[in-house]
C-alpha cells in the first residue's frame, strides 16, 4: 500500500529542513503501519497537477494534497480540476489555514475523503491526515492477487 503526499508551491519563505524532518517522521509512522509514503513537493501548479495525474504510476492507494484552491492561478484551474476528476483513488486535503479553500470544490463529482485544517500548524494537519489515511486503508477491502 502507498500514500502519495503532494504539496503545492508555497508563497514566501519556507523552512525546507523542517519540512523534510516532518515528512521523515510521517514516513516512519506510515512504514510502521506497513504503508509506503511518497512525498512529491511541487515548485509550480503544472507540476502539482502532473503529480496528481501520475499518482497511479506511484501505485497510490490514497493521496494527501496540500493545496489552497484560492492560490491556484486562473490559468491552472482547469488542469487541476481535470487531474482531480481523473484521480482513481480517494484523497485527503491538508491545510494549515482556516481561510484555505478545498480543491475538491473545483470537482463536485469527486469530493475529498476528508479535509484536515489545523490553523497555524502544518505538522498537526499532516499528522491528523495521515492518521485518517492509515485508518481508511486498514479498513479497505483488498482484492486477492
Amino acid at each position: 500500500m502507498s500514500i502519495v503526499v503532494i504539496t503545492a508551491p508555497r508563497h514566501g519563505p519556507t523552512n525546507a529542513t523542517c519540512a523534510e524532518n516532518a515528512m521523515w517522521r510521517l514516513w516512519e509512522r506510515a512504514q510502521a503501519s506497513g504503508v509506503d509514503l511518497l512525498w512529491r513537493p511541487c515548485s509550480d501548479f503544472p507540476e502539482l497537477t502532473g503529480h496528481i495525474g501520475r499518482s497511479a504510476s506511484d501505485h497510490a492507494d490514497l493521496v494527501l494534497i496540500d493545496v489552497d484552491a484560492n492560490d491556484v492561478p486562473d490559468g491552472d484551474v482547469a488542469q487541476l480540476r481535470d487531474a482531480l476528476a481523473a484521480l482513481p483513488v480517494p484523497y485527503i486535503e491538508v491545510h494549515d489555514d482556516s481561510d484555505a479553500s478545498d480543491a475538491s470544490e473545483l470537482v463536485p463529482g469527486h469530493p475529498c475523503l476528508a479535509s484536515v485544517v489545523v490553523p497555524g500548524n502544518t505538522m498537526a494537519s499532516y499528522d491528523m491526515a495521515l492518521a485518517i489515511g492509515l485508518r481508511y486503508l486498514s479498513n479497505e477491502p483488498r482484492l486477492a492477487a
Side-chain angles (χ1 to χ4, degrees):
M1 279 188 272
S2 176
I3 296 175
V4 176
V5 180
I6 302 171
T7 59
R10 295 279 182 218
H11 295 288
T14 60
N15 185 337
T17 302
C18 179
E20 288 177 16
N21 289 338
M23 283 300 161
W24 179 254
R25 288 191 306 271
L26 294 174
W27 180 84
E28 288 178 325
R29 189 165 152 210
Q31 287 290 301
S33 297
V35 175
D36 287 327
L37 187 75
L38 305 171
W39 183 27
R40 303 290 185 240
C42 301
S43 58
D44 58 30
F45 288 97
E47 184 179 17
L48 178 122
T49 56
H51 281 303
I52 292 171
R54 288 187 296 276
S55 62
S57 65
D58 280 333
H59 306 288
D61 295 291
L62 181 72
V63 175
L64 302 184
I65 300 173
D66 182 353
V67 62
D68 181 349
N70 294 326
D71 292 340
V72 180
D74 292 341
D76 295 321
V77 169
Q79 293 88 348
L80 177 58
R81 182 178 45 245
D82 293 347
L84 287 173
L87 188 62
V89 297
Y91 64 100
I92 296 173
E93 293 206 35
V94 180
H95 302 290
D96 66 354
D97 184 352
S98 58
D99 292 334
S101 179
D102 283 351
S104 65
E105 292 175 8
L106 302 172
V107 191
H110 190 353
C112 59
L113 181 65
S115 182
V116 178
V117 181
V118 180
N121 192 336
T122 303
M123 188 59 203
S125 295
Y126 276 102
D127 278 339
M128 194 176 297
L130 181 62
I132 292 167
L134 292 173
R135 175 163 285 196
Y136 173 81
L137 291 177
S138 72
N139 291 326
E140 266 302 283
R142 300 285 168 219
L143 298 175

